[in-house]
Amino acid sequence: MIRTAKGPLVTLPYTVELNDIPMMLVQHHESDHMLKRAIDSFDRLYEKSKDRPKILSLAIHPYISGQPFRIKYLEAIYDYVNKFEGVVHWNGEQILDWYQGQAAAQPGSKA
């Protein structure tokens, strides 16, 4: 959290590695590449989440990942991660609310 004159600024994970614009439109990967990358990333983050929560950020755009020849791979990502205990699907606002709740619970916090 960064304190500014207009209020706190909290950065959220946003990845280029799991972003459909560079992956599909710039690098021209096959449609299933996002699935492979997301599963590999998720597996590592889930393993590490036993110590503290982790966030897997997917940057997806309906006009790219929502294409008929790509959507099944996006759905497969969600099918895969939903099999694991403790996984939640949150947008940025929900992550921020959770983070601020965690920060406020810390001793000496001014959040």
Side-chain angles (χ1 to χ4, degrees), residues 10-14 54-60 78 87-100:
V10 178
T11 61
L12 297 173
Y14 184 81
K54 300 293 183 190
I55 296 173
L56 175 68
S57 174
L58 295 177
I60 54 175
Y78 287 99
V87 171
V88 295
H89 301 279
W90 286 346
N91 62 32
E93 184 177 2
Q94 292 166 308
I95 295 168
L96 178 59
D97 288 346
W98 170 83
Y99 176 78
Q100 289 176 326

Side-chain angles (χ1 to χ4, degrees), residues 54-70:
K54 300 293 183 190
I55 296 173
L56 175 68
S57 174
L58 295 177
I60 54 175
H61 304 83
Y63 65 94
I64 300 170
S65 290
Q67 291 295 317
F69 55 92
R70 289 191 186 116

Side-chain angles (χ1 to χ4, degrees), residues 1 3 8 100 102-111:
M1 183 178 301
R3 299 193 192 291
Q100 289 176 326
Q102 295 293 308
Q106 297 299 316
S109 173
K110 296 180 184 175

Side-chain angles (χ1 to χ4, degrees), residues 31-98:
S31 296
D32 65 345
H33 195 70
M34 175 80 91
L35 172 62
K36 292 175 187 176
R37 238 185 231 191
I39 287 174
D40 288 346
S41 297
F42 173 83
D43 286 345
R44 178 55 59 104
L45 290 171
Y46 190 80
E47 176 185 325
K48 298 294 183 183
S49 73
K50 289 171 181 39
D51 299 325
R52 65 185 188 134
K54 300 293 183 190
I55 296 173
L56 175 68
S57 174
L58 295 177
I60 54 175
H61 304 83
Y63 65 94
I64 300 170
S65 290
Q67 291 295 317
F69 55 92
R70 289 191 186 116
I71 191 83
K72 70 179 182 178
Y73 300 108
L74 178 59
E75 292 167 339
I77 292 169
Y78 287 99
D79 290 344
Y80 181 80
V81 303
N82 282 333
K83 295 176 184 176
F84 292 81
E85 183 179 336
V87 171
V88 295
H89 301 279
W90 286 346
N91 62 32
E93 184 177 2
Q94 292 166 308
I95 295 168
L96 178 59
D97 288 346
W98 170 83

